[in-house]
Amino acid sequence: MASDAPLPPGSVIGILGGGQLGRMLAMAAAEMGLAVHIYAPPGDNPATDVARSATIAAWDDPAALEAFAAAVDVITYEFENIPVTTAEFLAARKRLRPGVRALAVAQDRLNEKELARRLDIAVPEFAAVASRTELDAALARMGVPSILKTRRLGYDGKGQAVIRSFADADAAWVTVGGVPAILEAMVPFTREVSVLLARGADGATAAFDVPENRHRSGILDTSTVPAAIPPALAARAVAIGERIAAELDHIGLLAVELFVVGDGNGAALLFNEIAPRVHNSGHWTTDACLVAQFEQHIRAVAGWRLGDPRRHSDVVMTNLIGADADAWATLAAEPDARLHLYGKAESRPGRKMGHVNRIRPRRA
Ligand code: AMP
């Protein structure tokens, strides 16, 4: 296996997944003189527009995976629902950063919450629910309101059902498809924030400022920086991210979503979930920081020293979901704004088509 020396310009980064995150990672890699080879199943893969090469094949195609591993210098992922067996197959052949464990933990909400609890990070009350009967038992113990979520493959509010009264239990169980799930207490949060930090191959970490995130229909709508929280609370949030990154021996960008309960320095932080990759709530870094999350991730994966994550501007990032992106001409003409479009072939309701970063001079 390769040495610990940083990969020089000209090296090839293999990226598993071909969506917008892969696309923005590929553009950052190109700016560093690195090339990208995308591996993704057939579909709309906008990352392939900006990559040197691409393998379009199933996650369980050993010949394609073998050839991909041989063609790249290091492998990373932009999508966390890659089968763990695929990640293990690749990790046996080429360095995979972040590793298999970060992927396995992030794929399962129960694993995530248990990891946080083991690290003494406060989590909302939760219970594993594997059957309709277990749902009744969990509801009797935890009460309502609560949220039932599939353990695996949920994203953007999918695979979730709010339970406001015991009579909602049947419908919630049908909504999640009767698969292994967890029941979580509904958190009366005052705001949602996320930690975005990179951890390098040398164990050094660099955190971006903490954004405040608003959701619409379960999908991220805006990330605002700075968040309206005291610096001490933001520091506590970052410390949570650092603990998780160290525990996972993570290399790359790590996002941790947190609920804030209460206000001011006395507020509590409750763990929601992690993403072992660049994250939608970090898209503002491209236009408000010297080094953005995408470059930071590529630096870590390539074994480079991390860059400077300092923020030079205040910013509000707004996602363009479905038809929102039809206003591209107006958005492109806005002063103090930078429009990012993902080049997706087809717009659908709920689909992330782009985002816009609205910039203001930094005040604090
Ligand atoms: P998730 O996929 O777990 O990030 O959930 C999507 C969004 O649903 C979160 O960002 C919250 O806005 C909301 N949500 C999820 N879990 C809870 C909870 N336990 N209590 C209150 N709101 C939640």
Side-chain angles (χ1 to χ4, degrees):
M1 201 145 289
S3 78
D4 283 334
L7 291 177
S11 304
V12 183
I13 314 282
I15 300 180
L16 302 172
Q20 68 268 17
L21 301 179
R23 177 180 170 99
M24 291 183 273
L25 285 168
M27 291 192 285
E31 286 195 295
M32 299 163 68
L34 297 160
V36 158
H37 185 143
I38 299 288
Y39 188 109
D44 191 1
N45 287 305
T48 60
D49 292 351
V50 296
R52 175 184 289 179
S53 34
T55 300
I56 303 300
W59 294 125
D60 60 355
D61 181 337
L65 291 169
E66 188 84 62
F68 170 73
V72 302
D73 295 302
V74 66
I75 301 173
T76 187
Y77 42 87
E78 59 95 78
F79 169 70
E80 71 244 34
N81 287 317
I82 295 154
V84 167
T85 46
T86 303
E88 284 168 340
F89 181 94
L90 292 169
R93 287 160 177 77
K94 209 42 73 70
R95 192 167 260 171
L96 178 72
R97 288 174 165 168
V100 175
R101 182 156 169 244
L103 189 73
V105 168
Q107 281 181 359
D108 186 330
R109 292 186 187 276
L110 186 62
N111 288 349
E112 286 178 316
K113 294 233 165 33
E114 285 175 344
L115 175 87
R117 196 172 255 179
R118 254 200 330 278
L119 295 175
D120 274 334
I121 297 163
V123 295
E125 192 183 356
F126 69 90
V129 167
S131 67
R132 181 68 187 77
T133 324
E134 283 186 23
L135 175 57
D136 278 340
L139 276 172
R141 201 167 59 249
M142 286 170 43
V144 290
S146 50
I147 299 196
L148 187 65
K149 299 180 179 177
T150 57
R151 279 175 59 177
R152 306 173 67 84
L153 299 173
Y155 70 100
D156 286 349
K158 295 191 174 66
Q160 302 190 7
V162 174
I163 302 182
R164 297 196 188 279
S165 83
F166 290 89
D168 295 342
D170 275 331
W173 186 244
V174 170
T175 300
V176 303
V179 296
I182 71 169
L183 185 70
E184 287 179 30
M186 182 78 93
V187 177
F189 59 79
T190 42
R191 50 191 100 245
E192 292 184 80
V193 298
S194 51
V195 176
L196 305 157
L197 67 81
R199 186 167 178 275
D202 58 358
T205 59
F208 291 99
D209 282 352
V210 170
E212 177 170 341
N213 305 319
R214 298 256 161 98
H215 293 80
R216 203 169 19 127
S217 313
I219 307 177
L220 182 66
D221 181 22
T222 60
S223 292
T224 300
V225 202
I229 59 171
L233 191 66
R236 273 162 51 203
V238 168
I240 288 172
E242 284 171 346
R243 244 183 293 162
I244 295 170
E247 166 66 21
L248 294 175
D249 203 9
H250 190 82
I251 297 177
L253 211 291
L254 175 73
V256 184
E257 295 181 28
L258 300 167
F259 299 117
V260 179
V261 182
D263 255 317
N265 277 322
L269 293 169
L270 290 181
F271 172 93
N272 180 22
E273 62 179 351
I274 63 169
R277 54 167 169 79
V278 287
H279 194 252
N280 195 169
S281 71
H283 287 4
W284 54 273
T285 58
T286 309
D287 299 312
C289 298
L290 217 50
V291 172
Q293 63 165 350
F294 305 102
E295 176 175 335
Q296 204 69 307
H297 184 79
I298 298 291
R299 280 178 178 245
V301 165
W304 291 25
R305 290 277 293 275
L306 296 177
D308 183 348
R310 261 180 310 171
R311 179 172 57 84
H312 51 68
S313 299
D314 290 356
V315 55
V316 179
M317 187 284 309
T318 303
N319 267 338
L320 302 174
I321 309 291
D324 295 350
D326 295 349
W328 58 269
T330 313
L331 293 163
E334 244 187 68
D336 301 317
R338 187 135 183 271
L339 175 65
H340 300 258
L341 295 173
Y342 304 152
K344 291 186 180 175
E346 195 196 336
S347 171
R348 284 194 297 272
R351 190 161 202 223
K352 292 174 178 169
M353 302 302 293
H355 64 272
V356 60
N357 287 329
R358 295 188 170 93
I359 297 290
R360 296 283 173 275
R362 183 173 171 148
R363 272 184 309 238

